[in-house]
Amino acid sequence: MQVWPGQPYPLGATYDGAGTNFAVFSESADRIELCLFGEDGSETAVELRETDAFVRHAYIPGVQPGQRYGFRVHGPYNPGLGQRHNSAKLLLDPYAKAMSGTIDWDEAVYGYHFGAPERRNDLDSAPHTMHSVVINPYFDWGTDRPPRTDYHRTVLYEAHVKGLTQLHPGIPEEIRGTYAGLAHPAVIEHLAKLGVTAIELMPVHQFVRDHRLRDLGLANYWGYNTIGFFAPHSSYSSGGDRGQQVQEFKSMVKALHAAGIEVILDVVYNHTAEGNHLGPTLSLRGLDNVSYYRLAQDQRFYEDTTGTGNSLLMRSPHVLQMIMDSLRYWVTEMHVDGFRFDLAATLARQFHEVDRLSSFFDLVQQDPVVSQAKLIAEPWDLGEGGYQVGNFPPLWTEWNGMYRDTVRDLWRGENATLAEFGSRLTGSSDLYQDDGRRPIASINFVTCHDGFTLRDLVSYNEKRNDANGEDNRDGESFNRSWNCGAEGPSTDPAVEELRARQQRNFIATLMLSQGVPMLSHGDELGRTQHGNNNAYCQDNELSWVHWPAEGRPEPDGPDTGPDAEAGADAAARARPGSDARLLEFTQGMIWLRRDHPVFRRRRFFHGRPVSGTHDDLTDIAWFTPAGEEMTKRDWGASYAKSLTVFLNGDAISEPDRRGGKITDDSFLLMFNAHFEPLEFTVPAGHGKEWHVVVDTAQPVLPAPGTGARVKAGDALWLTDRSLMVLQRRA
C-alpha cells in the first residue's frame, strides 16, 4: 500500500477521485494509526507520520468511497489528569461524513472494566463498535436553490424522519422511516397543502442508542445523543450505510426545496454520546479528552450542564473549529437552510456562566456562510443560570418558552395576566426589542417533541410515562395542561367537543400571533402519545404519526343520534390520525396568516397612528369585552380572561420589498378564555361593518365570504373558551 504525506486540511477523509486524504487532530497523542477494514473484517493499520499543528495526515491512493476506517491513538492513560488514550479502542473520525454499523455495548467499548472503573480495559473494541466511512462527495444538485423564505413568512413544522413517515400508507413500505420516505410526494403534498414553509428535523446527525436503553429494550428515538457531527444518521437510509445515506439525504433536501420547503436541522453540539467518566470510549474521549470536553477540577470527571454526562469545551479552538466546520458543511454540501441548536445556552458557556459575548457567537456572526442560515436557539440548558429566553444576540431567533407557558395558562384558565398574554400575542417586545431584534426573533410554539402532544395537552392533567421504565419519574410534571373534565380517553361528547375546541384555540392563537409559528408534527391530525410526555425512548407506534388508511383524514360523520351514538362518534374522532376537521381548520388558519401581512409584521406595534393612513387609527388597540378601551386596572387583573384586539391593516409601518406601503384588511380578535359564554360588543370607531372569518366554537372555518355580518356596536355571544376573528375589508 502506498502512503503519501497528504494534507492537514480538510480534516476527515476527503476522496478526490483517485484516492483519499485522511487528517485528524490530537494534541496529546504520541502517535496515531489509521485502520482500514476489509469486507472480511480484516484490519490494515497505517501510521500517520506527518504532523502539522497537531494534525496527523496521509494520502492513500486507491482508497475508494465505501471504505470503512477508524483510528487507534497511542498516548498517556492517566484519568486523574484527564488523559484517556487507549490504542485498543477503535475511534470514530469526528469529521467522518458517514458511519457504518452499530455498537453492541460489549465491555470492550469501555476504557475500564465493569465493576472496576479504576482498571484500564485493553480489550479490542473494533468488532463491537461503528466504523467511519469514506464517501463520494459528488452529487447532481441540478437547479436546486435554497427557498430563502423570509422569517416573517415562515411557518415551521417540527418533525421526526421516522416518526412522520413510518406509518404513512401512501409511502412504499421499503422506504418508510427514511430520508427517501420524507421526500415521497405523499409527504410533500401534505406539507404543501398544510402551508408550512420549513420542516425542522429532529436530530439527523449520527447518534447512538444508549447502553441503558438497550438493556431496557428501548431505543434512543429522539436522537439527542450525537457521535458524528458531519454524518447523516445511517438507520434513516433505505439504501445502506456505506455512504448511501449521504446521497439519500441530499435527494431529500432537493425534493423538499423543489416544493419550496426549507430544511432546518435540530443539532446537538453541546455534548456527545460518550457520556460521563463511566461512558464508552468511541471518539473524542480517546483522541484528546482534555481538548474536547469540559473537565471538573478533579479531571477524572466531567462538567455537565446538559444532563447527559458531559459538555463540550466551548473555549477550545478545536471544538469551535469542529462545530463551525460542521455547520458550513451542512449548508454548503448538504444544502440545508438553517439550524435549531439544542440546549444552546451550553454553547455560550465559554467558562462557567452563559455569556452572549462568547467566542461561539463571534464566530457565527462573522462567518459568511453560517451567518446567513436560519439560526434558532433553544435558549436554556440545565446548568446554573441556564434559562436565557430573550438573551441571545441579535442574529438569533429563539424558541420562546414564555410564549408557550402564557398561552397554555390562558386557555386552561390559570392566572396569566392579560398584559403577559398581550405581550406574547404581539411578538414579545419585552424580550427582544431592547437589543434591536424584531418580532421574528420569537419562535412561537404551544407544543413540541418534548412534552405532551396538542391532543394530550387537552386530555391529561398527569403524565403517563410508565412505558419508559423509570416508574413515571421522568418527564416534566408541571405541564400547564388541562384534561377538560376527564383524564385520558373519553366517550363523553361534551368533553370531546371541549377538547376539540381547545385544540382549535391553541392553533388559532398560534397563527394569529406575531412572530414565527411552529407546529409539532401530527398535531394537525390529533396525534396522541396517550399521555406520555417524554417519548424519547419510544421508537414505536406510541410516538409515530398515525395516518388514516389513504394517507389523509376522512371527514367524520355528523354528530347525530342518541347519547351512545354521539359518544361513539366522539371516540372515533379521538382515534389518532382521524381528525379531518382539525386538519382542515389548521390549514385554514395557516393560509389566513399567509394571506394577511397584519398577522406577520416585521416590526413591533407601537400603539400610534401611522403617517399616511386614511382613518388616523392606531396600529393596534385593546378593548374589554364590553368594547371599551382597556385601562391599567384591566391589564393587571389576574381574574380577567377575555379581551378584544384591533389590528389595523392600514397602519403597517414596514415597507414592502420595493419601499412601497403595505396595506391589508383590519381585524378584531376576540378572546374568551372564561369558563362561561360572554357577550362581546364590537367596538365603535374602528370600522362600521365586519364579517366573521374564524369562530373556534365551530369545527371548521366558514367558507370565504359566508361568515356572519356584524356592525359596530353589535353584541356577539362567544362560547366559553373560544375565540372569534372579525375581518374588515380594506
Side-chain angles (χ1 to χ4, degrees):
M1 178 183 296
Q2 289 184 310
V3 180
W4 299 350
Q7 299 294 326
Y9 190 85
L11 292 166
T14 306
Y15 173 69
D16 63 5
T20 301
N21 189 83
F22 295 90
V24 61
F25 161 79
S26 177
E27 185 172 347
S28 56
D30 294 331
R31 62 189 183 93
I32 298 178
E33 293 176 301
L34 166 69
C35 302
L36 304 177
F37 289 86
E39 293 303 317
D40 60 356
S42 60
E43 178 180 339
T44 302
V46 177
E47 184 172 349
L48 302 180
R49 297 184 182 277
E50 297 293 326
T51 305
D52 289 277
F54 302 112
V55 174
R56 316 291 176 105
H57 52 89
Y59 180 91
I60 304 181
V63 170
Q64 299 290 309
Q67 173 67 58
R68 294 178 300 151
Y69 71 97
F71 298 113
R72 293 189 186 275
V73 178
H74 300 259
Y77 181 83
N78 187 341
L81 297 178
Q83 299 167 333
R84 293 182 177 270
H85 295 301
N86 186 336
S87 61
K89 310 307 169 187
L90 184 75
L91 303 179
L92 291 163
D93 181 357
Y95 278 71
K97 306 304 190 301
M99 294 181 179
S100 173
T102 59
I103 300 169
D104 66 11
W105 297 115
D106 185 87
E107 187 174 3
V109 302
Y110 292 85
Y112 62 92
H113 287 279
F114 292 168
E118 71 285 352
R119 287 180 53 216
R120 171 173 160 147
N121 180 341
D122 289 325
L123 296 172
D124 183 8
S125 70
H128 307 284
T129 191
M130 303 168 68
H131 298 89
S132 306
V133 178
V134 177
I135 70 156
N136 183 350
Y138 304 108
F139 180 79
D140 182 8
W141 283 104
T143 59
D144 180 71
R145 295 290 184 274
R148 296 196 182 281
T149 306
D150 292 333
Y151 257 125
H152 69 283
R153 296 180 180 273
T154 295
V155 177
L156 293 166
Y157 187 81
E158 187 194 31
H160 188 284
V161 170
K162 185 174 184 180
L164 184 63
T165 62
Q166 185 67 27
L167 298 179
H168 198 301
I171 301 174
E173 288 190 21
E174 62 270 18
I175 64 170
R176 293 179 188 174
T178 69
Y179 305 122
L182 193 58
H184 191 274
V187 173
I188 292 179
E189 179 187 17
H190 175 78
L191 297 175
K193 286 186 175 179
L194 187 59
V196 299
T197 67
I199 187 167
E200 183 180 299
L201 295 178
M202 291 176 65
V204 296
H205 288 174
Q206 184 68 54
F207 60 85
V208 170
R209 181 189 187 190
D210 311 49
H211 193 166
R212 182 185 69 85
L213 293 178
R214 193 282 307 266
D215 291 347
L216 291 172
L218 300 170
N220 190 313
Y221 171 63
W222 285 354
Y224 293 95
N225 204 32
T226 303
I227 198 59
F229 297 115
F230 295 78
H233 188 61
S234 58
S235 71
Y236 295 157
S237 170
S238 63
D241 65 359
R242 298 292 186 88
Q244 295 93 335
Q245 60 265 53
V246 178
Q247 301 293 311
E248 190 171 323
F249 184 93
K250 290 179 177 179
S251 295
M252 175 197 73
V253 172
K254 185 177 178 180
L256 288 164
H257 280 182
I261 299 172
E262 293 183 305
V263 178
I264 295 173
L265 303 187
D266 191 341
V267 290
V268 189
Y269 293 115
N270 51 74
H271 74 280
T272 77
E274 292 188 296
N276 63 16
H277 63 290
L278 297 178
T281 299
L282 304 176
S283 182
L284 303 180
R285 171 173 285 145
L287 278 167
D288 195 332
N289 191 53
V290 174
S291 291
Y292 281 110
Y293 292 115
R294 290 176 61 94
L295 301 182
Q297 186 172 359
D298 182 343
Q299 294 184 85
R300 293 175 299 169
F301 306 109
Y302 295 81
E303 294 284 352
D304 179 18
T305 60
T306 65
T308 61
N310 66 57
S311 302
L312 286 175
L313 182 62
M314 295 306 298
R315 65 176 178 272
S316 165
H318 306 288
V319 169
L320 292 170
Q321 179 189 4
M322 180 178 66
I323 294 174
M324 295 306 299
D325 285 348
S326 171
L327 291 170
R328 277 191 299 272
Y329 173 78
W330 286 97
V331 174
T332 59
E333 298 297 322
M334 307 296 268
H335 284 208
V336 305
D337 304 282
F339 306 94
R340 178 266 188 189
F341 293 80
D342 175 65
L343 301 181
T346 292
L347 302 178
R349 293 183 186 273
Q350 187 167 332
F351 293 96
H352 174 71
E353 296 180 348
V354 178
D355 183 2
R356 60 184 289 164
L357 300 178
S358 72
S359 298
F360 173 69
F361 293 132
D362 291 342
L363 290 171
V364 169
Q365 182 76 35
Q366 60 80 40
D367 190 278
V369 173
V370 179
S371 64
Q372 299 308 301
K374 283 186 167 71
L375 303 172
I376 304 170
E378 182 187 36
W380 50 77
D381 68 11
L382 301 183
E384 182 181 353
Y387 193 76
Q388 293 290 323
V389 173
N391 291 332
F392 274 67
L395 192 65
W396 291 70
T397 63
E398 302 175 11
W399 271 26
N400 190 343
M402 296 180 72
Y403 177 94
R404 172 200 60 203
D405 296 346
T406 301
V407 171
R408 286 188 180 191
D409 280 347
L410 178 83
W411 285 115
R412 72 190 181 108
E414 290 300 315
N415 292 333
T417 66
L418 294 181
E420 175 83 2
F421 175 68
S423 179
R424 305 298 154 243
L425 182 72
T426 55
S428 296
S429 60
D430 58 324
L431 299 177
Y432 305 115
Q433 191 172 28
D434 62 348
D435 58 10
R437 287 191 281 178
R438 301 286 177 84
I440 59 170
S442 178
I443 304 297
N444 299 329
F445 67 105
V446 176
T447 59
C448 63
H449 69 274
D450 189 0
F452 283 139
T453 67
L454 184 62
R455 172 74 193 182
D456 290 353
L457 185 68
V458 300
S459 303
Y460 293 89
N461 287 346
E462 307 294 337
K463 62 186 180 183
R464 298 286 189 275
N465 296 354
D466 298 285
N468 295 354
E470 299 182 43
D471 297 323
N472 205 37
R473 295 189 302 270
D474 63 303
E476 177 60 60
S477 296
F478 180 49
N479 293 280
R480 292 183 162 89
S481 62
W482 178 50
N483 64 20
C484 296
E487 187 73 0
S490 173
T491 56
D492 184 333
V495 170
E496 283 300 301
E497 195 282 327
L498 177 56
R499 288 176 176 176
R501 188 162 72 249
Q502 286 284 71
Q503 290 176 84
R504 294 192 293 270
N505 288 334
F506 283 122
I507 289 171
T509 304
L510 183 63
M511 294 305 157
L512 296 171
S513 298
Q514 305 297 323
V516 181
M518 185 186 78
L519 284 172
S520 180
H521 72 186
D523 275 353
E524 75 278 14
L525 301 171
R527 183 174 79 92
T528 178
Q529 291 178 168
H530 304 291
N532 191 316
N533 74 350
N534 191 33
Y536 76 102
C537 57
Q538 299 296 329
D539 187 3
N540 50 53
E541 293 196 11
L542 178 71
S543 55
W544 300 338
V545 174
H546 289 248
W547 299 84
E550 300 302 320
R552 58 178 60 86
E554 298 178 358
D556 298 317
D559 297 336
T560 59
D563 288 347
E565 293 182 9
D569 186 70
R573 286 199 306 274
R575 287 197 300 268
S578 66
D579 202 334
R581 290 176 173 175
L582 182 59
L583 174 61
E584 182 181 349
F585 181 87
T586 306
Q587 289 172 330
M589 288 305 308
I590 292 176
W591 285 99
L592 178 68
R593 177 186 181 85
R594 293 185 70 174
D595 287 344
H596 293 284
V598 76
F599 297 127
R600 42 183 177 80
R601 291 176 49 127
R602 304 197 309 276
R603 297 177 181 172
F604 288 110
F605 293 100
H606 46 65
R608 301 187 305 271
V610 173
S611 176
T613 58
H614 70 273
D615 54 18
D616 201 36
L617 296 174
T618 58
D619 58 355
I620 189 170
W622 306 84
F623 302 92
T624 66
E628 300 171 349
E629 289 204 33
M630 297 272 288
T631 66
K632 185 175 181 179
R633 181 177 180 180
D634 295 325
W635 282 115
S638 61
Y639 60 83
K641 306 299 177 190
S642 306
L643 81 165
T644 295
V645 188
F646 168 70
L647 302 182
N648 189 347
D650 193 44
I652 299 174
S653 58
E654 60 266 21
D656 64 20
R657 287 180 178 271
R658 297 187 177 183
K661 178 176 171 55
I662 298 175
T663 300
D664 192 12
D665 299 335
S666 294
F667 291 86
L668 286 172
L669 316 181
M670 296 178 168
F671 295 88
N672 179 23
H674 192 53
F675 60 85
E676 293 180 329
L678 285 181
E679 183 180 69
F680 279 66
T681 300
V682 179
H686 287 74
K688 295 180 180 179
E689 294 187 347
W690 304 80
H691 67 279
V692 177
V693 292
V694 177
D695 182 359
T696 61
Q698 302 301 318
V700 295
L701 298 176
T706 65
R709 304 280 172 168
V710 297
K711 296 181 179 180
D714 284 355
L716 296 171
W717 277 94
L718 265 66
T719 302
D720 56 289
R721 296 188 174 90
S722 71
L723 72 84
M724 188 177 290
V725 179
L726 309 183
Q727 182 178 5
R728 187 195 76 190
R729 297 295 184 188

